[in-house]
Structures are given as structure tokens and as C-alpha cells.
Amino acid sequence: VTHVRGSISDLNLPSNYYVGFLGSNTILVDSVEESSTTVTKIDLVVLPLALLVLVYVVQSWRMVIIPVINVSTCLLSSFAMMYGLTQYTAKAPSFVPSVMEAMVIALSIDYSLFLLTRFRFEIMNNKRRGSSAVREAVFHAGEVVFMSGLTLISCFLGITGFPTQTVYMVGVGCSLCLTMALVINLTMTPALLLAFPVFFSTFQFLPFCTKKEEFGFNGENGQEDGGTINSSGGYTLAPDDEDNPHVPRDEIDNGYGVFDDADEKGGAASKRSDRPSLTLHEEEENNEIMRKSYWYRSTKALIKWPYVLLTILIPLALIAPAAVSLLDFKYSVANTQIAPRNSASIECYKRIESTFPLGLMDPLYVIVDASSLGPNAVKTEAFFNTSAKIAKLIIDRSDVSSSEITAISYPNGAYLSWAAASLALSNPALAGPYPAYFNSSTNGDFSAALITISTPFSPFGDDMKGFTKTVRDVLNDGGLPGEYQYYFAGAAVWMVDVTNLTFELFPYIILATVLAIFLMISFLLMSAFIPIRYAFTLVFPLSFIFGVAVLIYQKGVLNGLNWAPVGGVDAMYWLSPIITFPICTGLALDYDIFLMCRVAEYRMEGYTNRASILKAVHETGGIITAAGIIMAIAFGGMLFSTTDTLNQIAWILFSSVLFDTFVVRTVLVPAVLTLAAHVNWWPRKVPQGKLMDEFGNEEFEAAGDSKDQALLSVNGSSEKAADGGRYWNQHGGL
């Protein structure tokens, strides 16, 4: 393709001449080149922006070194392995590298965010030191990363079940890069933290221009619990936890690293014995921070009874109209959607479209096979009559004209009998080009022949689906002789068959995959309520996202913006929903798992359901928001591609991540968890009876109260009893 285009440019033709070069391969070459350009844009623009968000959240430039190493290692390893696979198996679609890179950047930085923010939390809030903080971060955040990665990998392994090479390789590529992201983040991150404990435990927002963060020392001479003051005035943690005794993990008897002291009759659960105790001043400081937190105050208002019902019903009512648009979904097989809009192929395509039938680019063929009758079966009147009948029926039932279909019995838009054809073949000097055409349209022993069709529309356009059905109806129900075999073939026909089979299997494969994931998460979180809750927090939101995509790309509701990436194209490319659905599902479950693990952690520590939700949202709200922004930046980079397919994939992922971040995980999930109350944890045994509110005060939860109402707060801490009056006024009461 490059050679021919170079030769054309060397012709130095006058300006009023145009020479173009077009075919399926030219579109593929342009698509690959655009994919490389998009990857470069992601490297140069998206990755730095995502890292800046990470620096802001973890408040330490030093920690950013870890995700940079993780992303680089993951990209090199996954692309190298994918290259090896494609050399010995099948080629991947041209846009797969762009999707793989966006996912590696988004998930590697997200997983680093989960692990590093937990590491910082253990140091800053729980006053852990060195390897103890790393262990806790891996134990809690590592569980979230593992479950999230396993969920996403399962989603993409599901689409490897499609018996079509294109879809299969998409699933293989994405599963491979996700596996590498999971393995590298769970091994490289703790390894680096343990290898350089002092370096990564010294927090400084920016090098040279900001001070190293000071915290946690009240003792004399600036020392406490193994920490030392460094020469720059910052507080550096001890490299190990020998000065910080703790309860070994192998003595902990449940899945969340906590002691469950609740007896079978519902006795009170103790606070975590393995968590370093905080002073009264430190607890008050943490509680005051939580009270002023946006996430705490907003969630407290949203889950208050009876407004919690509106918190669920209003978003569902608002998303319903867009979700209904999903019923109008239709897909396109037009290969122009995988070519860049400003490419040489598209320019040539538009010129041909205005001058010639687009079917010239990829002719279609009907094969009439009479091999069961032996050699020379073509050279009969019956075969000629059958061939001509097929051509005539196709002309009558479709938009194909007589000049666009040729057969040995229908060479110039008119029937040619075998007697006339035999005469022409016996006198080639007088017959013109017919003998050459006859020989090129039949096989060696004259037992089969081709009917060539050049469609007036693009064979890779949306009209091809209906035309394929029309031709096959002619071959199956056209009253043709039964002794012949009939086939309809061509690259465009193959594409139609692939898409039809894919969308026929799509609901079943997705249903099986989603059910398997739901069961896996239910088992890991030990909750039978998970699948029911996901109906509200997963199915409805995803319906909304894809419904909006239908409104944008099919109905053109954003055409007024005059921005091509969100312009209407009549129908989305067929691979766009196949690729994006498992990613959207996995990412939605990613944040859900992160929030649910923190809620479960506090519930098992003896906090009420409401308190667990409030504390979890307070601690994870900012992290989930940052993770969502990082994801949106990573996927949004593909919006600046000039390829329609990449734009569609980017928009669906971009909007899905933001909607999930700012609406689903911060509004719908806390509300549904509040209403479900004790049902959330069935059949797991959780502490019952005397529980704690979000500030650590003991409460007596009313039996069977599903909304955490009618709670009597009491002063249950011996430390707080020393100042009981003040605590009662501040935290107690009915």
C-alpha cells in the first residue's frame, strides 16, 4: 500500500487529476497507522495527567515512581507477549493496542492508588510503621485489587468464548494486559515499598519546593515509636516495625483481619485488637476530620430515612428515558468506521462513491456447484437456465441492476442459452471476450460456476446485512433445482455472518459470564444479596450508558456541537459494544468491591451498618473519585482519535466511569446498602447487639431494625468515660 501510494505521488499529475488507491487492505493500513498515533498521544498526554492526579491524592511525589515502574513493566511485558501470540495464532484488530494501553495505564495507576492510599492511611491514621503498614495495605487493598482484577479478567475471558477470530483476539489481548497489571501491581508495589521503606515513607508533595510532611510525634526530642526527625525537618518512619508490636495475622480468625468477639447470642464485638490504639486526642482529631468531610456529610443526608428512598428512586427515574433508547440499538459493519476520517482511504472512498458503484471494491459471488453430477455439468441447458434464474431473481428482489451482475448465462444483462454459449466457445475469434470470461468463471472440470455481483452500495456498509438475507432467500426458497449446491461468498458476506453469530451468542455469553462473576463476588464477600443489589447498581446504570450512546451515535443528539468524536454515524460499529460491555461491567464492579470491602471491614469490627457505610464512604470517596478521574483521563484520550470506532469505545468508557464514580458508587450504592441493612451480610455472621457508631461510641441496635434507626447511643469506652459528660453531650442521646 505504501509503495503504490508513493508511486502515485511520484506521477506529478496536474491539479485537476486525481489518482486514488482503495481496498480493504488500504483501510486496514490507515487504521493501524492511526492506532499507533493514538498510542503515542496516550503516552505523551494521558499518562502525565493521570500521574498528576495520583500525586495530588497520595500527596507524595516519591510514590509516583511506583506506578511509573508498574505501567512501564506491564506495557512491555503484555505487548511483547501479545506480539508473540499474534505471530503464531491470529492477528488482532488494529485498534486493540490502543485499548490495551489505555486499560494498562488506567488500571495500573488505579491499583497503585488503592495500595498506596491504604499504605498512607495505615501510617497517618493508624500509626503503623514500616513492614507493618505494607502488610496491612496489601492485606486490605490487595484483596480489593485481586478481586477487581479477577472480575475484569473473567469479563474478557468470557468473550473469548465467541467462535469468531476478531472478537476472540480482543478478549485475549485485554485478558493478557489485565493479568499482567494484576500480577505486577500485587508484587512490584509491596516489593518496592519494602526495599526502600524510608524513601517511600517520607511524604513530600513536590520535590524541593514543598516541605516534607510532619506528623505523629508528640514525644520529647522529636521521637516516637521508632520514628526519627530527619535533617530536613520531616518525620521519617522507622524502616521496620520491631518497635510496634502487633498481633500476628495467623492469630486472626476471620477474613478481614479482625477479632470477632461476638458470641452466638449477638454479644458486642470488640475493636480491632491488631490495630495500634490511638490516643484520645488522635481519635478526636480523626472524628473531627470525618465530621467536616464532604463525603460524610453528603452520604449522611442521602441515607437518612425516609429520604433514602428518594436517593434511589430519583436517579433511576432520571436514567430510565435514556435506558429505553437501548431498545433502538442497531450496529454497523461499515469498514469506514475503522478508518481515520481524514485518511487517504476515506478520501478515495468518497470519490468512488460519487462516481462508481462501491461494490467494485469487493465483488460478491454466488457459487453454483454441480459436482455431484460429474464433470462438464456446467455445459448443459439446465445449468444455464438455473444460473440465469438466480441472476434474474437477485435483480428483481434487490437494488442490484442487470449491469451489476454477471454469469456465464447472463453476461450482459440478458439471458444467454447454452446453445449460443457453445457456439461462442467453439469460435473464440468471433466471440470476443466471452470465452475468457467463461473460463475464469468456471472451475477446472466445469462442474461449478460463479455468479459475480458488484453491489451499488458499499459491500461493507449497513445495506449488506439486508442484501445477504435477500440472496440467501433466493438460494434457499427460489425454486431452484435440488441437484445443485448453492453458496453465497465474499469478504463482506463473511463479515455479516461474523456479526450475526456474535450478536446471536452475545446475550448468552454475557449472561453466563455475569452470573459467574456475581457468584464469585458473593462467595468472596460471603453475601447472597450481591446479585440482587447489582440489579440496581449495575444493570440499570449500564443500560443508561449504552442508551446514551445510542442517542449520540444513532440519533445524533450532539450533532449540534460540530465535534466529530460525538457526531452521529447512524449506527455504532459492531465491535464497540462487544468490547465496552465487559470493560464497563468490570470497572463498575471494581469500585463496588473497593467500597464494599471497606464497609465489610468496619461492619466486622463491630460498627453498625449505617456507621460502616458512613466511615467507608468517607475514607473511599476521595479515592474512588480520583480513580474515576484517572480512568476517565486514560479512556478519554481515545476521543481525540480520528477513528469512529475508537471514539465510540472512548465515549462509552469515559461516560461509564464518570457516571459510576459520581452517581452510582457515591449515591446509589450507599442508599441500597442502607435499606438492605442486615440482609447485606446474609449468611455471614456479623457482630450483633451492642455496636459502635461511626465515632466509636457504643450503641444498642434495635433487633430487626433494617434502617439503623431507633439506636440508643451510650458511652462505652473506658477512656471516654474519664470525660463522660463532654462525650455524652457531643455524641450521645437518643
Side-chain angles (χ1 to χ4, degrees), residues 677-705:
H678 303 302
V679 180
N680 287 320
W681 316 111
W682 186 85
R684 170 193 284 188
K685 291 183 179 180
V686 295
Q688 301 292 337
K690 188 167 61 174
L691 303 173
M692 293 178 289
D693 69 5
E694 62 269 29
F695 302 112
N697 301 312
E698 292 182 357
E699 295 185 348
F700 289 100
E701 187 171 21
D705 187 359

PDB file of all heavy atoms in Angstrom, residues 677-705:
ATOM      1  N   ALA A 677     -29.600  -3.232  54.934  1.00  0.00           N
ATOM      2  CA  ALA A 677     -29.169  -3.421  56.327  1.00  0.00           C
ATOM      3  C   ALA A 677     -28.616  -4.823  56.555  1.00  0.00           C
ATOM      4  O   ALA A 677     -27.644  -5.223  55.951  1.00  0.00           O
ATOM      5  CB  ALA A 677     -30.308  -3.100  57.274  1.00  0.00           C
ATOM      6  N   HIS A 678     -29.259  -5.611  57.435  1.00  0.00           N
ATOM      7  CA  HIS A 678     -28.728  -6.919  57.815  1.00  0.00           C
ATOM      8  C   HIS A 678     -28.703  -7.903  56.641  1.00  0.00           C
ATOM      9  O   HIS A 678     -27.894  -8.832  56.623  1.00  0.00           O
ATOM     10  CB  HIS A 678     -29.558  -7.518  58.954  1.00  0.00           C
ATOM     11  CG  HIS A 678     -29.617  -6.646  60.163  1.00  0.00           C
ATOM     12  ND1 HIS A 678     -28.484  -6.233  60.829  1.00  0.00           N
ATOM     13  CD2 HIS A 678     -30.668  -6.092  60.823  1.00  0.00           C
ATOM     14  CE1 HIS A 678     -28.830  -5.476  61.856  1.00  0.00           C
ATOM     15  NE2 HIS A 678     -30.157  -5.366  61.878  1.00  0.00           N
ATOM     16  N   VAL A 679     -29.580  -7.683  55.663  1.00  0.00           N
ATOM     17  CA  VAL A 679     -29.623  -8.592  54.515  1.00  0.00           C
ATOM     18  C   VAL A 679     -28.321  -8.531  53.724  1.00  0.00           C
ATOM     19  O   VAL A 679     -27.947  -9.484  53.041  1.00  0.00           O
ATOM     20  CB  VAL A 679     -30.827  -8.237  53.610  1.00  0.00           C
ATOM     21  CG1 VAL A 679     -30.899  -9.173  52.403  1.00  0.00           C
ATOM     22  CG2 VAL A 679     -32.116  -8.301  54.403  1.00  0.00           C
ATOM     23  N   ASN A 680     -27.611  -7.404  53.808  1.00  0.00           N
ATOM     24  CA  ASN A 680     -26.346  -7.254  53.082  1.00  0.00           C
ATOM     25  C   ASN A 680     -25.380  -8.390  53.364  1.00  0.00           C
ATOM     26  O   ASN A 680     -24.595  -8.778  52.493  1.00  0.00           O
ATOM     27  CB  ASN A 680     -25.661  -5.940  53.480  1.00  0.00           C
ATOM     28  CG  ASN A 680     -26.353  -4.729  52.893  1.00  0.00           C
ATOM     29  OD1 ASN A 680     -26.785  -4.757  51.748  1.00  0.00           O
ATOM     30  ND2 ASN A 680     -26.471  -3.665  53.677  1.00  0.00           N
ATOM     31  N   TRP A 681     -25.414  -8.897  54.610  1.00  0.00           N
ATOM     32  CA  TRP A 681     -24.361  -9.801  55.052  1.00  0.00           C
ATOM     33  C   TRP A 681     -24.797 -11.261  55.135  1.00  0.00           C
ATOM     34  O   TRP A 681     -23.969 -12.120  55.435  1.00  0.00           O
ATOM     35  CB  TRP A 681     -23.846  -9.350  56.426  1.00  0.00           C
ATOM     36  CG  TRP A 681     -23.659  -7.875  56.459  1.00  0.00           C
ATOM     37  CD1 TRP A 681     -24.378  -6.962  57.156  1.00  0.00           C
ATOM     38  CD2 TRP A 681     -22.692  -7.131  55.711  1.00  0.00           C
ATOM     39  NE1 TRP A 681     -23.938  -5.694  56.908  1.00  0.00           N
ATOM     40  CE2 TRP A 681     -22.888  -5.769  56.022  1.00  0.00           C
ATOM     41  CE3 TRP A 681     -21.673  -7.479  54.823  1.00  0.00           C
ATOM     42  CZ2 TRP A 681     -22.104  -4.761  55.468  1.00  0.00           C
ATOM     43  CZ3 TRP A 681     -20.907  -6.477  54.275  1.00  0.00           C
ATOM     44  CH2 TRP A 681     -21.120  -5.135  54.596  1.00  0.00           C
ATOM     45  N   TRP A 682     -26.062 -11.526  54.881  1.00  0.00           N
ATOM     46  CA  TRP A 682     -26.520 -12.912  54.982  1.00  0.00           C
ATOM     47  C   TRP A 682     -25.845 -13.760  53.904  1.00  0.00           C
ATOM     48  O   TRP A 682     -25.718 -13.329  52.771  1.00  0.00           O
ATOM     49  CB  TRP A 682     -28.045 -12.956  54.828  1.00  0.00           C
ATOM     50  CG  TRP A 682     -28.591 -14.326  55.054  1.00  0.00           C
ATOM     51  CD1 TRP A 682     -28.928 -14.907  56.236  1.00  0.00           C
ATOM     52  CD2 TRP A 682     -28.858 -15.301  54.034  1.00  0.00           C
ATOM     53  NE1 TRP A 682     -29.379 -16.171  56.031  1.00  0.00           N
ATOM     54  CE2 TRP A 682     -29.340 -16.450  54.694  1.00  0.00           C
ATOM     55  CE3 TRP A 682     -28.710 -15.335  52.644  1.00  0.00           C
ATOM     56  CZ2 TRP A 682     -29.701 -17.602  53.994  1.00  0.00           C
ATOM     57  CZ3 TRP A 682     -29.057 -16.476  51.954  1.00  0.00           C
ATOM     58  CH2 TRP A 682     -29.547 -17.596  52.631  1.00  0.00           C
ATOM     59  N   PRO A 683     -25.341 -14.956  54.236  1.00  0.00           N
ATOM     60  CA  PRO A 683     -25.457 -15.682  55.516  1.00  0.00           C
ATOM     61  C   PRO A 683     -24.248 -15.506  56.450  1.00  0.00           C
ATOM     62  O   PRO A 683     -24.090 -16.265  57.374  1.00  0.00           O
ATOM     63  CB  PRO A 683     -25.537 -17.128  55.049  1.00  0.00           C
ATOM     64  CG  PRO A 683     -24.651 -17.157  53.827  1.00  0.00           C
ATOM     65  CD  PRO A 683     -24.803 -15.812  53.163  1.00  0.00           C
ATOM     66  N   ARG A 684     -23.392 -14.538  56.182  1.00  0.00           N
ATOM     67  CA  ARG A 684     -22.232 -14.330  57.051  1.00  0.00           C
ATOM     68  C   ARG A 684     -22.690 -13.916  58.451  1.00  0.00           C
ATOM     69  O   ARG A 684     -23.658 -13.179  58.616  1.00  0.00           O
ATOM     70  CB  ARG A 684     -21.337 -13.247  56.461  1.00  0.00           C
ATOM     71  CG  ARG A 684     -20.246 -12.803  57.399  1.00  0.00           C
ATOM     72  CD  ARG A 684     -19.578 -11.534  56.916  1.00  0.00           C
ATOM     73  NE  ARG A 684     -18.682 -11.803  55.810  1.00  0.00           N
ATOM     74  CZ  ARG A 684     -17.861 -10.896  55.296  1.00  0.00           C
ATOM     75  NH1 ARG A 684     -17.839  -9.685  55.780  1.00  0.00           N
ATOM     76  NH2 ARG A 684     -17.073 -11.212  54.291  1.00  0.00           N
ATOM     77  N   LYS A 685     -21.964 -14.376  59.432  1.00  0.00           N
ATOM     78  CA  LYS A 685     -22.223 -13.958  60.804  1.00  0.00           C
ATOM     79  C   LYS A 685     -21.456 -12.671  61.086  1.00  0.00           C
ATOM     80  O   LYS A 685     -20.232 -12.631  60.966  1.00  0.00           O
ATOM     81  CB  LYS A 685     -21.797 -15.046  61.795  1.00  0.00           C
ATOM     82  CG  LYS A 685     -22.672 -16.288  61.749  1.00  0.00           C
ATOM     83  CD  LYS A 685     -22.242 -17.293  62.808  1.00  0.00           C
ATOM     84  CE  LYS A 685     -23.139 -18.532  62.781  1.00  0.00           C
ATOM     85  NZ  LYS A 685     -22.738 -19.515  63.816  1.00  0.00           N
ATOM     86  N   VAL A 686     -22.184 -11.632  61.426  1.00  0.00           N
ATOM     87  CA  VAL A 686     -21.574 -10.352  61.755  1.00  0.00           C
ATOM     88  C   VAL A 686     -21.936  -9.992  63.187  1.00  0.00           C
ATOM     89  O   VAL A 686     -22.913 -10.514  63.741  1.00  0.00           O
ATOM     90  CB  VAL A 686     -22.052  -9.245  60.790  1.00  0.00           C
ATOM     91  CG1 VAL A 686     -21.594  -9.515  59.376  1.00  0.00           C
ATOM     92  CG2 VAL A 686     -23.568  -9.110  60.840  1.00  0.00           C
ATOM     93  N   PRO A 687     -21.153  -9.140  63.823  1.00  0.00           N
ATOM     94  CA  PRO A 687     -21.457  -8.743  65.200  1.00  0.00           C
ATOM     95  C   PRO A 687     -22.866  -8.169  65.317  1.00  0.00           C
ATOM     96  O   PRO A 687     -23.304  -7.402  64.460  1.00  0.00           O
ATOM     97  CB  PRO A 687     -20.398  -7.681  65.498  1.00  0.00           C
ATOM     98  CG  PRO A 687     -19.270  -8.004  64.578  1.00  0.00           C
ATOM     99  CD  PRO A 687     -19.902  -8.534  63.336  1.00  0.00           C
ATOM    100  N   GLN A 688     -23.569  -8.546  66.374  1.00  0.00           N
ATOM    101  CA  GLN A 688     -24.927  -8.077  66.620  1.00  0.00           C
ATOM    102  C   GLN A 688     -25.015  -7.490  68.027  1.00  0.00           C
ATOM    103  O   GLN A 688     -24.139  -7.681  68.856  1.00  0.00           O
ATOM    104  CB  GLN A 688     -25.925  -9.241  66.483  1.00  0.00           C
ATOM    105  CG  GLN A 688     -25.925  -9.918  65.133  1.00  0.00           C
ATOM    106  CD  GLN A 688     -26.451  -9.032  64.030  1.00  0.00           C
ATOM    107  OE1 GLN A 688     -27.203  -8.086  64.294  1.00  0.00           O
ATOM    108  NE2 GLN A 688     -26.045  -9.307  62.800  1.00  0.00           N
ATOM    109  N   GLY A 689     -26.083  -6.776  68.274  1.00  0.00           N
ATOM    110  CA  GLY A 689     -26.316  -6.269  69.622  1.00  0.00           C
ATOM    111  C   GLY A 689     -25.620  -4.951  69.855  1.00  0.00           C
ATOM    112  O   GLY A 689     -25.870  -3.968  69.163  1.00  0.00           O
ATOM    113  N   LYS A 690     -24.723  -4.920  70.845  1.00  0.00           N
ATOM    114  CA  LYS A 690     -24.055  -3.680  71.216  1.00  0.00           C
ATOM    115  C   LYS A 690     -22.969  -3.362  70.192  1.00  0.00           C
ATOM    116  O   LYS A 690     -21.910  -3.971  70.167  1.00  0.00           O
ATOM    117  CB  LYS A 690     -23.454  -3.816  72.615  1.00  0.00           C
ATOM    118  CG  LYS A 690     -22.911  -2.489  73.163  1.00  0.00           C
ATOM    119  CD  LYS A 690     -22.597  -2.553  74.645  1.00  0.00           C
ATOM    120  CE  LYS A 690     -21.546  -3.594  74.951  1.00  0.00           C
ATOM    121  NZ  LYS A 690     -21.119  -3.571  76.364  1.00  0.00           N
ATOM    122  N   LEU A 691     -23.261  -2.363  69.359  1.00  0.00           N
ATOM    123  CA  LEU A 691     -22.358  -1.989  68.282  1.00  0.00           C
ATOM    124  C   LEU A 691     -21.893  -0.555  68.467  1.00  0.00           C
ATOM    125  O   LEU A 691     -22.304   0.133  69.410  1.00  0.00           O
ATOM    126  CB  LEU A 691     -23.060  -2.150  66.926  1.00  0.00           C
ATOM    127  CG  LEU A 691     -23.619  -3.548  66.630  1.00  0.00           C
ATOM    128  CD1 LEU A 691     -24.421  -3.530  65.342  1.00  0.00           C
ATOM    129  CD2 LEU A 691     -22.504  -4.579  66.548  1.00  0.00           C
ATOM    130  N   MET A 692     -21.036  -0.083  67.567  1.00  0.00           N
ATOM    131  CA  MET A 692     -20.493   1.266  67.657  1.00  0.00           C
ATOM    132  C   MET A 692     -21.008   2.134  66.523  1.00  0.00           C
ATOM    133  O   MET A 692     -21.249   1.656  65.414  1.00  0.00           O
ATOM    134  CB  MET A 692     -18.965   1.209  67.594  1.00  0.00           C
ATOM    135  CG  MET A 692     -18.305   0.545  68.784  1.00  0.00           C
ATOM    136  SD  MET A 692     -16.503   0.481  68.602  1.00  0.00           S
ATOM    137  CE  MET A 692     -16.348  -0.737  67.305  1.00  0.00           C
ATOM    138  N   ASP A 693     -21.178   3.432  66.826  1.00  0.00           N
ATOM    139  CA  ASP A 693     -21.482   4.365  65.757  1.00  0.00           C
ATOM    140  C   ASP A 693     -20.190   4.759  65.060  1.00  0.00           C
ATOM    141  O   ASP A 693     -19.113   4.262  65.380  1.00  0.00           O
ATOM    142  CB  ASP A 693     -22.243   5.581  66.292  1.00  0.00           C
ATOM    143  CG  ASP A 693     -21.379   6.472  67.184  1.00  0.00           C
ATOM    144  OD1 ASP A 693     -20.166   6.203  67.323  1.00  0.00           O
ATOM    145  OD2 ASP A 693     -21.928   7.437  67.745  1.00  0.00           O
ATOM    146  N   GLU A 694     -20.289   5.669  64.096  1.00  0.00           N
ATOM    147  CA  GLU A 694     -19.113   5.999  63.288  1.00  0.00           C
ATOM    148  C   GLU A 694     -18.007   6.684  64.077  1.00  0.00           C
ATOM    149  O   GLU A 694     -16.862   6.752  63.615  1.00  0.00           O
ATOM    150  CB  GLU A 694     -19.515   6.868  62.089  1.00  0.00           C
ATOM    151  CG  GLU A 694     -20.126   8.202  62.444  1.00  0.00           C
ATOM    152  CD  GLU A 694     -21.645   8.139  62.560  1.00  0.00           C
ATOM    153  OE1 GLU A 694     -22.163   7.061  62.901  1.00  0.00           O
ATOM    154  OE2 GLU A 694     -22.291   9.159  62.308  1.00  0.00           O
ATOM    155  N   PHE A 695     -18.315   7.189  65.282  1.00  0.00           N
ATOM    156  CA  PHE A 695     -17.315   7.857  66.104  1.00  0.00           C
ATOM    157  C   PHE A 695     -16.739   6.950  67.187  1.00  0.00           C
ATOM    158  O   PHE A 695     -15.971   7.399  68.032  1.00  0.00           O
ATOM    159  CB  PHE A 695     -17.906   9.110  66.737  1.00  0.00           C
ATOM    160  CG  PHE A 695     -18.433  10.089  65.727  1.00  0.00           C
ATOM    161  CD1 PHE A 695     -19.793  10.340  65.621  1.00  0.00           C
ATOM    162  CD2 PHE A 695     -17.584  10.732  64.855  1.00  0.00           C
ATOM    163  CE1 PHE A 695     -20.291  11.222  64.683  1.00  0.00           C
ATOM    164  CE2 PHE A 695     -18.068  11.626  63.906  1.00  0.00           C
ATOM    165  CZ  PHE A 695     -19.430  11.870  63.817  1.00  0.00           C
ATOM    166  N   GLY A 696     -17.134   5.684  67.166  1.00  0.00           N
ATOM    167  CA  GLY A 696     -16.601   4.742  68.140  1.00  0.00           C
ATOM    168  C   GLY A 696     -17.392   4.648  69.415  1.00  0.00           C
ATOM    169  O   GLY A 696     -16.997   3.933  70.341  1.00  0.00           O
ATOM    170  N   ASN A 697     -18.525   5.358  69.532  1.00  0.00           N
ATOM    171  CA  ASN A 697     -19.381   5.249  70.713  1.00  0.00           C
ATOM    172  C   ASN A 697     -20.258   4.022  70.588  1.00  0.00           C
ATOM    173  O   ASN A 697     -20.750   3.702  69.498  1.00  0.00           O
ATOM    174  CB  ASN A 697     -20.265   6.487  70.846  1.00  0.00           C
ATOM    175  CG  ASN A 697     -19.452   7.748  70.961  1.00  0.00           C
ATOM    176  OD1 ASN A 697     -18.518   7.820  71.746  1.00  0.00           O
ATOM    177  ND2 ASN A 697     -19.785   8.749  70.143  1.00  0.00           N
ATOM    178  N   GLU A 698     -20.472   3.334  71.671  1.00  0.00           N
ATOM    179  CA  GLU A 698     -21.263   2.113  71.624  1.00  0.00           C
ATOM    180  C   GLU A 698     -22.736   2.436  71.529  1.00  0.00           C
ATOM    181  O   GLU A 698     -23.234   3.380  72.132  1.00  0.00           O
ATOM    182  CB  GLU A 698     -20.990   1.259  72.858  1.00  0.00           C
ATOM    183  CG  GLU A 698     -19.575   0.696  72.881  1.00  0.00           C
ATOM    184  CD  GLU A 698     -19.331  -0.195  74.074  1.00  0.00           C
ATOM    185  OE1 GLU A 698     -20.239  -0.330  74.899  1.00  0.00           O
ATOM    186  OE2 GLU A 698     -18.220  -0.741  74.165  1.00  0.00           O
ATOM    187  N   GLU A 699     -23.420   1.623  70.723  1.00  0.00           N
ATOM    188  CA  GLU A 699     -24.853   1.776  70.525  1.00  0.00           C
ATOM    189  C   GLU A 699     -25.514   0.429  70.709  1.00  0.00           C
ATOM    190  O   GLU A 699     -24.924  -0.617  70.457  1.00  0.00           O
ATOM    191  CB  GLU A 699     -25.155   2.302  69.116  1.00  0.00           C
ATOM    192  CG  GLU A 699     -24.640   3.704  68.864  1.00  0.00           C
ATOM    193  CD  GLU A 699     -25.082   4.202  67.504  1.00  0.00           C
ATOM    194  OE1 GLU A 699     -25.570   3.373  66.712  1.00  0.00           O
ATOM    195  OE2 GLU A 699     -24.955   5.404  67.242  1.00  0.00           O
ATOM    196  N   PHE A 700     -26.791   0.452  71.116  1.00  0.00           N
ATOM    197  CA  PHE A 700     -27.586  -0.769  71.175  1.00  0.00           C
ATOM    198  C   PHE A 700     -28.537  -0.729  69.994  1.00  0.00           C
ATOM    199  O   PHE A 700     -29.443   0.095  69.936  1.00  0.00           O
ATOM    200  CB  PHE A 700     -28.382  -0.851  72.488  1.00  0.00           C
ATOM    201  CG  PHE A 700     -27.513  -1.113  73.676  1.00  0.00           C
ATOM    202  CD1 PHE A 700     -27.124  -0.087  74.517  1.00  0.00           C
ATOM    203  CD2 PHE A 700     -27.077  -2.397  73.933  1.00  0.00           C
ATOM    204  CE1 PHE A 700     -26.313  -0.336  75.612  1.00  0.00           C
ATOM    205  CE2 PHE A 700     -26.269  -2.656  75.032  1.00  0.00           C
ATOM    206  CZ  PHE A 700     -25.890  -1.620  75.868  1.00  0.00           C
ATOM    207  N   GLU A 701     -28.269  -1.631  69.034  1.00  0.00           N
ATOM    208  CA  GLU A 701     -29.067  -1.628  67.816  1.00  0.00           C
ATOM    209  C   GLU A 701     -30.360  -2.388  68.048  1.00  0.00           C
ATOM    210  O   GLU A 701     -30.377  -3.506  68.557  1.00  0.00           O
ATOM    211  CB  GLU A 701     -28.287  -2.286  66.667  1.00  0.00           C
ATOM    212  CG  GLU A 701     -28.988  -2.155  65.336  1.00  0.00           C
ATOM    213  CD  GLU A 701     -28.080  -2.617  64.208  1.00  0.00           C
ATOM    214  OE1 GLU A 701     -27.134  -3.366  64.478  1.00  0.00           O
ATOM    215  OE2 GLU A 701     -28.339  -2.226  63.071  1.00  0.00           O
ATOM    216  N   ALA A 702     -31.468  -1.778  67.664  1.00  0.00           N
ATOM    217  CA  ALA A 702     -32.767  -2.427  67.827  1.00  0.00           C
ATOM    218  C   ALA A 702     -32.828  -3.661  66.954  1.00  0.00           C
ATOM    219  O   ALA A 702     -32.479  -3.639  65.792  1.00  0.00           O
ATOM    220  CB  ALA A 702     -33.885  -1.452  67.439  1.00  0.00           C
ATOM    221  N   ALA A 703     -33.282  -4.765  67.539  1.00  0.00           N
ATOM    222  CA  ALA A 703     -33.329  -6.030  66.806  1.00  0.00           C
ATOM    223  C   ALA A 703     -34.272  -5.927  65.628  1.00  0.00           C
ATOM    224  O   ALA A 703     -35.394  -5.453  65.742  1.00  0.00           O
ATOM    225  CB  ALA A 703     -33.781  -7.153  67.748  1.00  0.00           C
ATOM    226  N   GLY A 704     -33.791  -6.402  64.475  1.00  0.00           N
ATOM    227  CA  GLY A 704     -34.628  -6.430  63.282  1.00  0.00           C
ATOM    228  C   GLY A 704     -34.799  -5.088  62.612  1.00  0.00           C
ATOM    229  O   GLY A 704     -35.542  -4.965  61.659  1.00  0.00           O
ATOM    230  N   ASP A 705     -34.170  -4.043  63.117  1.00  0.00           N
ATOM    231  CA  ASP A 705     -34.308  -2.729  62.509  1.00  0.00           C
ATOM    232  C   ASP A 705     -33.437  -2.647  61.275  1.00  0.00           C
ATOM    233  O   ASP A 705     -32.226  -2.611  61.362  1.00  0.00           O
ATOM    234  CB  ASP A 705     -33.896  -1.653  63.512  1.00  0.00           C
ATOM    235  CG  ASP A 705     -34.178  -0.251  62.994  1.00  0.00           C
ATOM    236  OD1 ASP A 705     -34.674  -0.146  61.853  1.00  0.00           O
ATOM    237  OD2 ASP A 705     -33.907   0.704  63.733  1.00  0.00           O
TER     238      ASP A 705
END
